Amino acid sequence: MSTRKAAVIDMGTNTFHLLLVELDNVTFKTIYKEKIPVKLGKGGINQNNLAEDALKRAYHTLKHFKNLIDGEHIDQVFAFATSAVRNAENGPEFVQTVKETIGINIQVLSGEEEAQMIYQGIRLSGSLNGQTDLMMDIGGGSVEFIIGNSQESLWKQSFEIGGQRLLELFHYHDPILPEEVEKLEGYLEEKLQPLVEAIALYKPTGLVGASGTFDTLTDIYFESMLQCKLTGRHVFELPVEEYEAIHRMILSKNKEERLLIPGMIPMRVDMIVVASSLIEFILRYIEVDFITCSHYALKEGAIASLLIPEQTAL
């Protein structure tokens, strides 16, 4: 069976991911992956602008990624940008500069396209079974929610309420103050009305979280159980009772203390407080015993569409 190589670059608001893979028509094998906390949205996201130093970090990282891609002689490159770029007034200029100076064509995804690609990634991980699940991916700029099963997505929407935005809007004290959490919850109540209605309509019975924050929460859980995550597994279960304990611990600590939690990573330490508060809010509307955590998300969704082209249809 013939194989080919491809590269996927996921330019998130907080983190840039590079994934180099070898594909046949059925499966893929990871050759190399790297993630860098570029923090593209920092200092400008709520003003719909990409800040000067954030752009510098982005260009530097993309040049580094391009060198790695060229080193593997890969010419099939799929580069996606999400919330920070799609909302920034200087987003088109950034895309143009990258094309001209680095030679990478960036596709700026709409919220709907992003949600669909995340769904494809979650489906590829094997996280879904016959039941209807609520899926969520907490990005730095936006949060995607999908309601669906292993056959299809029934409802999906992207909300511009990502971790970096919430952090800049609500998390002023460290540890976060109860009234800041309260304000955050009031804001979510208002912004997520369409989701609350969709949950009432479709009645999902499971909750699936995609990568990012959910990876870190499961890492903390496994560390607390003195267990190792098995490599090669893409799906993990986090009991809600254990999640609640982790959530309370995260809320009670300042940054230095959070960094000392086994399983915590520096790139997640700032955003995890508001991200976990968002999960806590969602759990009011859906009763589950455990959260299914899919290690796959947007970039694996892009690979799914390379393996099975018809999956890309929205």
XYZ file of all heavy atoms in Angstrom, residues 31 53 71 82 102 117 119-120 126 130 162 190 196 209 221 237 242 276 278 288 307:
155
model
N 5.032 10.901 12.666
C 6.494 10.932 12.524
C 7.075 11.854 13.599
O 8.096 11.579 14.205
C 6.913 11.480 11.128
C 6.253 10.701 10.000
C 8.428 11.487 10.982
C 6.385 11.376 8.631
N 4.249 41.794 19.633
C 5.159 40.744 20.129
C 4.569 39.347 19.917
O 5.306 38.373 19.739
C 5.568 40.983 21.591
C 4.368 41.173 22.509
O 3.264 41.424 21.992
O 4.539 41.066 23.738
N 12.692 19.577 6.078
C 13.653 18.515 6.434
C 13.106 17.133 6.153
O 13.845 16.196 5.845
N -7.397 29.796 13.780
C -8.741 29.776 14.361
C -9.096 31.151 14.950
O -8.819 32.177 14.341
C -8.839 28.638 15.398
O -7.756 28.754 16.333
C -8.758 27.279 14.730
N 7.267 33.122 4.513
C 7.599 31.768 4.995
C 7.157 30.701 4.001
O 7.690 29.590 3.978
C 6.991 31.532 6.407
C 7.467 32.631 7.366
C 7.394 30.172 6.966
C 6.767 32.651 8.707
N -14.385 20.010 12.241
C -13.079 19.344 12.212
C -12.743 18.723 13.569
O -12.149 17.644 13.651
C -12.000 20.354 11.800
C -10.954 19.741 10.913
S -9.749 20.957 10.381
C -10.323 21.355 8.774
N -15.022 17.630 15.658
C -15.887 16.441 15.702
C -15.215 15.264 14.987
O -15.189 14.138 15.486
C -17.256 16.749 15.078
C -18.067 15.508 14.787
C -18.563 14.714 15.824
C -18.309 15.099 13.469
C -19.290 13.564 15.551
C -19.039 13.957 13.201
C -19.520 13.183 14.241
O -20.226 12.028 13.979
N -14.639 15.540 13.813
C -13.962 14.471 13.060
C -12.769 13.910 13.838
O -12.520 12.703 13.808
C -13.479 15.013 11.710
C -14.619 15.230 10.736
C -14.212 16.056 9.528
O -15.054 16.639 8.881
N -12.931 16.147 9.218
N -12.005 7.328 18.541
C -12.764 6.199 19.090
C -13.486 6.548 20.385
O -13.860 5.672 21.157
N -22.598 4.431 20.562
C -23.957 4.626 20.043
C -24.724 5.793 20.636
O -25.680 6.273 20.057
N -13.223 31.750 24.581
C -12.091 30.884 24.915
C -11.338 31.324 26.163
O -11.566 32.406 26.708
N -25.265 33.820 29.938
C -25.784 34.697 28.890
C -25.312 34.241 27.503
O -26.098 34.094 26.574
C -25.265 36.114 29.189
C -25.716 37.191 28.249
C -24.871 38.446 28.443
O -24.496 38.757 29.595
O -24.564 39.088 27.431
N -27.521 25.729 25.867
C -28.455 25.245 26.887
C -29.736 24.736 26.209
O -30.264 23.669 26.550
C -28.771 26.379 27.907
C -29.875 25.959 28.867
C -27.505 26.741 28.698
N -14.579 15.676 26.247
C -13.732 16.863 26.156
C -12.555 16.579 25.241
O -11.944 15.507 25.315
N -5.140 13.817 37.182
C -5.869 12.690 37.777
C -5.000 11.434 37.840
O -4.886 10.787 38.883
C -7.151 12.430 36.979
C -7.833 11.107 37.280
C -8.251 10.787 38.572
C -8.055 10.177 36.262
C -8.874 9.578 38.847
C -8.681 8.968 36.528
C -9.078 8.670 37.819
O -9.689 7.469 38.086
N -10.804 8.248 30.691
C -12.002 8.602 31.443
C -11.611 9.308 32.732
O -10.725 8.856 33.457
C -12.821 7.343 31.755
C -13.605 6.867 30.544
C -14.485 5.661 30.843
O -14.540 5.233 32.015
O -15.110 5.148 29.899
N -13.729 12.912 40.853
C -12.290 13.248 40.894
C -12.055 14.611 40.240
O -11.241 15.406 40.699
C -11.461 12.181 40.150
C -11.640 10.767 40.652
C -11.104 10.572 42.063
O -10.232 11.353 42.494
O -11.578 9.632 42.744
N -11.451 25.359 33.634
C -12.095 24.397 34.537
C -13.430 24.951 35.048
O -14.397 24.205 35.214
C -11.160 24.078 35.707
O -11.702 23.033 36.487
N -15.394 26.744 33.331
C -16.321 26.531 32.203
C -16.851 25.090 32.215
O -18.049 24.853 32.021
C -15.615 26.843 30.877
C -16.333 26.469 29.578
C -17.694 27.148 29.462
C -15.478 26.824 28.370
N -23.463 13.398 34.305
C -22.622 12.258 33.893
C -21.774 11.797 35.084
O -21.526 12.570 36.010
C -21.678 12.636 32.707
C -22.454 12.864 31.429
C -20.823 13.851 33.031
N -7.630 11.175 5.199
C -7.807 9.724 5.068
C -9.095 9.419 4.319
O -9.141 8.580 3.441
C -7.875 9.075 6.469
C -6.611 9.113 7.318
C -6.922 8.637 8.717
C -5.500 8.267 6.699
